[in-house]
Amino acid sequence: MTNSRQIAFIALRDVHKGAYTDVALDRALQKANLSDIDRRLVTELLYGSVRRQRTLDFIIDQLAKKKSHQQPTELRSILHLGLYQLRYQERIPASAAVNTTVELAKDNGFAGLTGFVNGLLRQYIRLAEASPDFLELPENPVERLGILHSFPDWIIKVWLEQLGLTETEKLCEWMNQTPTLDLRVNPLRTSVAEVETALKSAGVLARPIPHLPQALRLIGNTGSIQKLPGFSQGWWVVQDASAQLVSHLLDPQPGEVIIDACAAPGGKTTHIAELMKDQGKVWAGDRTASRLRKLKENAQRLNLHSIEICTGDSRNLPQFYNVADRVLLDAPCSGLGTLHRHADARWRQTPESVQELSTLQQELLSHTSKFVKVGGVLVYATCTLHPAENEEVITEFMARNSDWQIEPPSPDSPYSDYTTPQGWLKVWPHNQDMDGFFMVRLRKTNVSE
């Protein structure tokens, strides 16, 4: 068992040196020959320890003489792995968590500190058994929620202002769950029922998602995605439910010209092509050529021919002015709606990075709106839950552009559940059980003054 924990430790050490969690995990797993069960354990320990790092540091601060930031970096990583198992992994016996963590310390240059590691973990067990909430948390609700659920204070503040205390707590809990996997079935190749049957025969359970005609949510462990039935035949692609909502809101029609302005890696581009029955033209633009390669691969696998790729910055593509029936601007954002998927994102984003993104989003919206013909539609979408990147960007744009109006979904539409009085859609993960998203449909009414 220590083998998988040693690999989790190597990956966690890399993350603490600055690597992205998914990159560190891939690198560590490639070097090791592990069973599916052990791969899952490594993934759980790494993602969990990164996600919960503020809570784990706080526990070390309470139990050790030296604060977490004063501990040797690699010892801190080892303690995180041990405490994560004790606090959050009910299926791992406490004795196994302690013994394997002591082994990790011994095998990685801390043989002289095994007594300290053993003592700290056993002290945690004693205190937790005596009183599950023994942590001496601050009174201040921002800090209390931040420490308890392991988020930086500024994110908690942003959510508290919008949701209040009870709802923010629910959102924090939701964001710390292991994410689910949703598929989007390609109706040009197969049907949802057919994919469901094929998965079932391979021992993988899936269930449809209400209001999303192409969506299936996988239940339980799936193993390697590429090995699931229908992958190589282009029957489906992995795409979260709320990301699927975006293309339905755009509502592309066969024969139209559509521009997906920030298209890579292409989940929404391929969805648009499917909704148009692969008839018409979808221009997929992105400024990073390497990320567009993934889009090309997916389009080929799904057997879609209406997609044309255009490498370039959407703030400088005058050849597209007034050519599109519909434009999707799925803007680069801080990703606060998908923090459960990206374990380190909560520690990487800052209020400053959000402000920079907000400026970029306003520039992109201002330029891509010029791509739309009179009478055409633009959908602005992000996977964040920060008003500076959502409501404020749209409010600012509307104030400057009298020739645009917000077009809310009709009251009888299945998407009215997510619609706000202002006409935009907001998906709160803890209410709708899918990634957090903001989206709004705008229509260009006449030639601007």
Side-chain angles (χ1 to χ4, degrees):
M1 278 304 270
T2 314
N3 187 14
S4 45
R5 287 177 174 81
Q6 177 66 25
I7 290 154
F9 163 68
I10 290 165
L12 185 58
R13 186 180 63 188
D14 283 356
V15 173
H16 287 160
K17 285 180 185 165
Y20 284 96
T21 311
D22 53 346
V23 175
L25 179 66
D26 282 349
R27 207 163 36 212
L29 288 178
Q30 271 168 9
K31 291 178 188 161
N33 186 17
L34 294 179
S35 67
D36 268 359
I37 285 182
D38 280 348
R39 287 172 77 92
R40 281 204 295 276
L41 178 63
V42 172
T43 306
E44 179 59 43
L45 294 183
L46 176 64
Y47 272 73
S49 300
V50 174
R51 232 183 248 136
R52 300 282 190 174
Q53 102 188 6
R54 185 174 180 187
T55 315
L56 301 172
D57 277 339
F58 187 77
I59 295 169
I60 297 170
D61 290 350
Q62 283 213 346
L63 302 186
K65 287 195 182 77
K66 278 187 179 172
K67 299 283 188 214
S68 55
H69 66 273
Q70 298 168 314
Q71 300 286 349
T73 318
E74 295 187 0
L75 184 65
R76 173 177 169 247
S77 300
I78 290 167
L79 291 173
H80 278 191
L81 287 167
L83 288 166
Y84 178 74
Q85 292 170 77
L86 291 176
R87 188 170 176 86
Y88 300 108
Q89 289 294 294
E90 285 161 15
R91 286 202 295 257
I92 295 174
S95 57
V98 174
N99 297 339
T100 51
T101 309
V102 169
E103 283 300 310
L104 271 184
K106 199 182 291 175
D107 295 345
N108 291 285
F110 298 103
L113 289 169
T114 51
F116 162 70
V117 172
N118 185 43
L120 184 131
L121 296 181
R122 292 195 181 281
Q123 189 188 354
Y124 175 84
I125 295 168
R126 273 197 308 277
L127 289 166
E129 278 172 355
S131 161
D133 45 10
F134 71 90
L135 293 179
E136 292 163 25
L137 295 164
E139 288 290 302
N140 175 323
V142 173
E143 284 178 69
R144 189 176 63 77
L145 286 180
I147 290 166
L148 196 55
H149 299 291
S150 194
F151 287 91
D153 288 352
W154 72 270
I155 292 181
I156 299 286
K157 273 189 193 139
V158 167
W159 291 344
L160 277 174
E161 281 164 12
Q162 297 175 80
L163 292 171
L165 199 61
T166 312
E167 293 284 303
T168 298
E169 184 129 36
K170 284 182 191 161
L171 178 59
C172 289
E173 284 166 2
W174 193 93
M175 283 293 182
N176 283 327
Q177 292 173 9
T178 303
T180 54
L181 208 56
D182 297 342
L183 305 184
R184 188 191 79 230
V185 173
N186 178 359
L188 309 181
R189 313 282 290 172
T190 183
S191 67
V192 169
E194 199 174 344
V195 173
E196 216 176 334
T197 307
L199 288 169
K200 198 173 181 182
S201 64
V204 177
L205 290 179
R207 60 179 171 80
I209 299 173
H211 311 320
L212 286 167
Q214 293 166 258
L216 278 174
R217 177 158 292 175
L218 302 184
I219 299 155
N221 298 315
T222 58
S224 164
I225 292 296
Q226 283 85 351
K227 290 179 187 159
L228 290 179
F231 176 83
S232 49
Q233 298 96 317
W235 286 7
W236 49 263
V237 71
V238 173
Q239 189 185 38
D240 184 78
S242 48
Q244 296 184 40
L245 269 176
V246 175
S247 306
H248 286 295
L249 184 66
L250 185 68
D251 193 25
Q253 299 299 314
E256 289 184 334
V257 175
I258 313 282
I259 297 172
D260 185 355
C262 301
K268 299 181 187 74
T269 316
T270 50
H271 193 193
I272 290 167
E274 289 167 5
L275 292 173
M276 294 163 72
K277 304 187 167 50
D278 208 21
Q279 297 161 23
K281 176 76 74 196
V282 187
W283 284 99
D286 206 278
R287 60 182 190 190
T288 324
S290 59
R291 294 185 72 224
L292 284 164
R293 274 203 294 278
K294 180 90 174 133
L295 190 156
K296 214 170 194 170
E297 283 165 24
N298 272 329
Q300 282 166 348
R301 185 170 62 80
L302 296 164
N303 197 29
L304 298 167
H305 305 287
S306 57
I307 296 168
E308 291 277 348
I309 283 174
C310 167
T311 310
D313 189 322
S314 291
R315 291 171 293 179
N316 185 26
L317 296 172
Q319 68 267 39
F320 286 139
Y321 285 0
N322 297 312
V323 303
D325 296 290
R326 297 168 204 260
V327 167
L328 172 60
L329 174 55
D330 178 30
C333 71
S334 60
L336 298 192
T338 57
L339 294 177
H340 56 312
R341 293 189 189 282
H342 308 286
D344 47 23
R346 63 186 74 181
W347 312 120
R348 288 184 184 276
Q349 295 295 353
T350 62
E352 293 71 33
S353 66
V354 168
Q355 274 321 120
E356 283 166 26
L357 284 161
S358 175
T359 305
L360 172 64
Q361 290 149 354
Q362 291 183 19
E363 288 171 12
L364 283 166
L365 183 54
S366 167
H367 286 277
T368 53
S369 64
K370 297 186 173 89
F371 300 167
V372 185
K373 294 174 184 171
V374 173
V377 162
L378 183 148
V379 166
Y380 175 85
T382 72
C383 60
T384 188
L385 300 168
H386 199 307
E389 301 176 79
N390 295 335
E391 293 90 338
E392 288 169 30
V393 171
I394 296 303
T395 306
E396 175 83 6
F397 176 77
M398 299 305 285
R400 286 194 186 151
N401 297 277
S402 56
D403 51 328
W404 284 86
Q405 63 190 40
I406 293 177
E407 201 168 76
S410 65
D412 57 350
S413 124
Y415 311 123
S416 57
D417 284 3
Y418 318 110
T419 311
T420 63
Q422 298 87 342
W424 43 66
L425 282 70
K426 204 154 186 184
V427 177
W428 284 106
H430 60 294
N431 292 335
Q432 272 99 18
D433 200 25
M434 47 177 136
D435 290 2
F437 252 83
F438 174 91
M439 54 197 96
V440 60
R441 180 177 153 121
L442 306 170
R443 192 175 287 276
K444 193 177 204 170
T445 51
N446 56 19
V447 182
S448 61
E449 286 70 55

